[in-house]
Amino acid sequence: MHLPRQLGALHDLPDTPEAYDAVLAGVVEQALARLTPEGNLEHPDGGDDIGDTSLGVTSLLALAWQRGKDPRLPEAVRRSLAFHLRERVYTEDNPGYPNLKARACGLPYARYTLAAGAHPIGDWPSTVWALLQAVNMLDLADGLVEDERRAELVQVAHGYWRWLTEATFFNPQEAGNQAIGCVVGGLMLARHLPAPDGHAVRERALRLYEEEIRAHRVNDRGALLPPEHGGAYDNNYGPISLSFLAQAHRISGAEIFAEDGDALARYIDARLPGGGFDNGGPRYSEQHSGFESVLGLRYFGARIGSDLGRYRGDTRWGRHAVKPDGGIDGHFAWMLVWQIQDTTRWHRTPSTTPARHQLRSGTVSVAFDDRMTPSLVEAAGTYYLPAAVNRQHGFGPVTDGFLHCRPMGEVRVRDVHADGLTAKLVTKPVVGRDHVLRHVRSLYVTDGRGLWMTVAVERLPGTPYLLAGLPYATDDGDRVRRTADGEVTAAGELRLTHPESDGVDHFDARAERTQEEAAFALAADPRGYGNPDLGWSHLVGSTALEAGPAPGAPDDLHVFAVRYGPEGPFAPAFAADGSELTVRTEAFTAVIGEPAGDAHGDPELTLRAV
């Protein structure tokens, strides 16, 4: 089975002016065929996320007219804009909406669903989206919208802003993408207001960003990130936040948005393997945005000098939002407008700057979590997740059911490039259940095609093994296919084990269940509202690669050696000189320094190709 949403790399979609004109031409034909006598451009099957969608299609028609002057479009724009202002602007409180600070204020807002009292919790983001569609229309109104109608639209947009920032609590869903989107709406609106009002809205927007978003950033993997639905990052919404930061910087010039966008972009670059697969987050575990991410990935990929466009987006939404029948939905249409207006081109080569939480070369990648334990390994087109044993997740030595990967002290890292090889040595102090402090030294070496993982630790009691990953997915053209195995070789005995229980808290890679489905099944709240990352953390056991100790290790050490990728002989040899360990494989010789490291305590590593 294929994973349903992670499809092709977003930078593979043509983004020339001619390509975008073709996209808009398709939108125009659909919209003109759909336009009702009342001026409605909503998809006939639209039910939720609908309060801004007709206006979103209208803005695309306005952009198409500005670029091509199709004579059919001015009347369609006028009729559909009138429909939104007449039928989709609400001023009476939505029954049941829980986040109001001022009742019966009469300010306009947009509804997530149209029926009164039906799922009102989504009204805050829907109003942000309506504000963004409205300010885009104001930017594109010249030659299309009469002065009186334009003034009405300015008044409604200003009312949306006031409802979002005065009548309700700001960012009630703790969703960074929504909050930054609101700030962008204020910054764009300010340009259309008289000087005193415009200045006040701009200053308020910048202050909200500083005090309500930036001040509450969450640390993950050494980066401060806008919180997303209660977590540090969501693999669907995080790149959308990046797009909002790009637009905020484009229109305001404020360096704060560039700085924070650079930080988020470097974080995404470090966690994203070369193949663009990603999973995890507090809202959607494997769902991926499409066109909504393009602006941010392209804009900040160019700024930091890396190929962020390798991100596997949902290319069914590669140009604009669509319904299951393929018909256009105006949801998030402003992102298509902005990416067409932006002239940044994709940066298509990887960054050459070493990143603490990433090892990447050629088709091999390792992304590391906060503990410097692999969170995702990619080799030979297969993706390995941290396996689970006895409710513990990660890669590392296991003895008596205890996984030695959680550091008890500072984690040291050394990056080395030599002879076409890229390596990372991670040294962490770990305390086992016997309360003995041991130093786990993990060496990762790649030539761009295969990955060699060597883990050395002071001798463990019992019969230890290396938990070496959960084979989960593999590239299959423009799709990602579920798998339960991979090309892996070990110096010691290698086992691929599967959980004996079929309970929801045991994940068998052979079953037709995705990580996302399992994570939501274990989450405390309903799907779409629960935290799949937290749910997945409740996993008791999983399919796992287990590698026994390598033969020939020094008497005082357990050494584990695994190779991911190319087949062939694999018989590493080990030699000790005091606390130094020499590792010889068919591809390289590495000398791993003593656990205490150099004079500063940092690990020492020398490497040369064979």
Side-chain angles (χ1 to χ4, degrees):
M1 59 179 289
H2 288 103
L3 298 182
R5 299 179 182 88
Q6 298 198 37
L7 306 176
L10 289 180
H11 64 201
D12 287 345
L13 293 169
D15 63 347
T16 62
E18 294 78 14
Y20 281 133
D21 283 337
V23 171
L24 290 175
V27 170
V28 165
E29 297 308 319
Q30 272 200 57
L32 293 179
R34 177 187 299 173
L35 184 66
T36 68
E38 297 78 20
N40 188 352
L41 285 169
E42 292 162 0
H43 190 283
D45 295 336
D48 55 19
D49 265 326
I50 195 172
D52 68 301
T53 60
S54 181
L55 187 58
V57 179
T58 304
S59 72
L60 293 175
L61 298 184
L63 178 61
W65 186 81
Q66 296 292 356
R67 291 169 69 89
K69 297 298 188 289
D70 184 330
R72 300 174 297 170
L73 295 181
E75 177 62 19
V77 167
R78 286 191 284 269
R79 283 172 54 195
S80 57
L81 176 58
F83 168 81
H84 178 83
L85 294 172
R86 184 180 67 249
E87 303 290 343
R88 294 297 181 256
V89 178
Y90 296 85
T91 55
E92 295 181 356
D93 294 350
N94 199 349
Y97 185 70
N99 299 315
L100 289 177
K101 295 195 296 183
R103 298 215 173 263
C105 65
L107 291 171
Y109 67 95
R111 286 185 177 174
Y112 179 75
T113 57
L114 302 181
H119 201 75
I121 195 68
D123 289 355
W124 201 87
S126 288
T127 303
V128 174
W129 311 154
L131 170 62
L132 292 169
Q133 312 284 25
V135 292
N136 267 352
M137 275 302 306
L138 291 172
D139 284 352
L140 298 166
D142 287 350
L144 284 173
V145 179
E146 301 90 341
D147 289 346
E148 182 179 348
R149 185 68 78 190
R150 185 186 181 281
E152 183 181 359
L153 183 59
V154 170
Q155 183 178 13
V156 167
H158 196 187
Y160 284 154
W161 169 256
R162 292 188 58 202
W163 187 87
L164 290 163
T165 60
E166 299 174 20
T168 71
F169 289 94
F170 184 79
N171 191 22
Q173 295 185 20
E174 297 183 354
N177 76 98
Q178 298 172 10
I180 304 171
C182 182
V183 167
V184 171
L187 294 171
M188 295 183 69
L189 170 67
R191 304 181 301 179
H192 296 283
L193 297 174
D197 290 340
H199 178 76
V201 169
R202 176 185 166 89
E203 292 305 305
R204 173 73 167 142
L206 292 172
R207 190 164 64 252
L208 282 169
Y209 183 75
E210 285 271 15
E211 298 175 359
E212 299 294 336
I213 302 171
R214 199 169 200 260
H216 298 281
R217 287 177 299 170
V218 180
N219 189 299
D220 187 44
R221 309 186 196 192
L224 288 174
L225 309 172
E228 188 55 64
H229 286 285
Y233 174 83
D234 184 277
N235 67 329
N236 176 44
Y237 288 130
I240 295 175
S241 285
L242 194 65
S243 287
F244 282 130
L245 288 169
Q247 180 68 359
H249 185 241
R250 287 182 67 235
I251 62 174
S252 73
E255 278 304 303
I256 191 172
F257 299 117
E259 294 169 6
D260 292 354
D262 287 349
L264 177 54
R266 291 191 181 98
Y267 171 89
I268 293 173
D269 191 32
R271 73 173 286 141
L272 199 63
F277 170 85
D278 193 15
N279 74 298
R283 187 68 182 271
Y284 293 117
S285 187
E286 289 180 338
Q287 294 188 35
H288 268 48
S289 47
F291 76 102
E292 314 101 295
S293 300
V294 166
L295 175 65
L297 295 170
R298 195 172 66 191
Y299 189 84
F300 284 104
R303 280 185 58 91
I304 70 170
S306 195
D307 56 336
L308 294 185
R310 68 186 187 275
Y311 175 93
R312 281 188 182 269
D314 189 338
T315 50
R316 296 171 301 182
W317 279 38
R319 300 304 195 180
H320 45 67
V322 297
K323 290 297 185 184
D325 65 359
I328 185 173
D329 181 339
H331 189 48
F332 268 53
W334 64 86
M335 286 291 193
L336 178 57
V337 173
W338 299 342
Q339 65 169 278
I340 292 175
Q341 293 171 335
D342 180 50
T343 58
T344 307
R345 299 276 67 84
W346 287 111
H347 184 99
R348 297 182 178 276
T349 57
S351 170
T352 57
T353 305
R356 178 180 174 89
H357 293 90
Q358 180 194 58
L359 175 72
R360 182 184 174 201
S361 176
T363 59
V364 172
S365 305
V366 184
F368 296 87
D369 63 17
D370 262 334
R371 305 175 305 188
M372 286 306 298
T373 297
S375 61
L376 183 66
V377 169
E378 172 196 27
T382 296
Y383 303 96
Y384 303 85
L385 303 179
V389 57
N390 199 23
R391 292 185 170 84
Q392 303 161 94
H393 300 203
F395 289 73
V398 176
T399 181
D400 296 329
F402 184 85
L403 174 60
H404 296 258
C405 74
R406 294 170 297 282
M408 183 64 70
E410 191 65 25
V411 180
R412 311 287 186 132
V413 178
R414 174 64 60 90
D415 288 284
V416 172
H417 296 271
D419 301 336
L421 300 171
T422 304
K424 188 182 293 287
L425 174 61
V426 177
T427 302
K428 62 176 76 172
V430 174
V431 174
R433 288 206 172 109
D434 56 8
H435 289 223
V436 174
L437 178 69
R438 294 178 173 87
H439 291 85
V440 177
R441 291 177 286 175
S442 302
L443 174 64
Y444 307 87
V445 180
T446 178
D447 61 357
R449 298 184 305 110
L451 173 69
W452 289 260
M453 181 190 299
T454 307
V455 179
V457 60
E458 290 91 342
R459 200 157 188 85
L460 296 163
T463 308
Y465 64 89
L466 180 73
L467 195 65
L470 158 64
Y472 178 67
T474 189
D475 290 337
D476 187 9
D478 286 341
R479 303 294 302 272
V480 179
R481 177 171 48 82
R482 284 278 283 104
T483 190
D485 55 26
E487 297 179 34
V488 183
T489 310
E493 179 190 3
L494 182 66
R495 304 178 296 272
L496 180 63
T497 65
H498 303 285
E500 296 180 0
S501 170
D502 60 358
V504 68
D505 54 0
H506 289 76
F507 187 83
D508 191 328
R510 299 169 299 180
E512 290 195 358
R513 169 178 275 181
T514 65
Q515 185 270 351
E516 176 183 318
E517 291 169 335
F520 271 114
L522 291 166
D525 296 309
R527 182 181 178 89
Y529 302 94
N531 184 336
D533 270 3
L534 187 58
W536 186 252
S537 73
H538 296 152
L539 195 69
V540 173
S542 73
T543 292
L545 286 162
E546 300 176 355
D555 292 341
D556 60 341
L557 295 178
H558 270 122
V559 179
F560 307 90
V562 175
R563 184 184 63 195
Y564 303 82
E567 297 179 352
F570 181 55
F574 313 98
D577 183 3
S579 295
E580 287 188 346
L581 176 67
T582 299
V583 180
R584 293 184 174 88
T585 74
E586 74 284 2
F588 64 87
T589 297
V591 180
I592 302 172
E594 60 178 292
D598 61 17
H600 302 287
D602 290 328
E604 293 184 298
L605 173 65
T606 59
L607 179 70
R608 64 178 175 82
V610 171

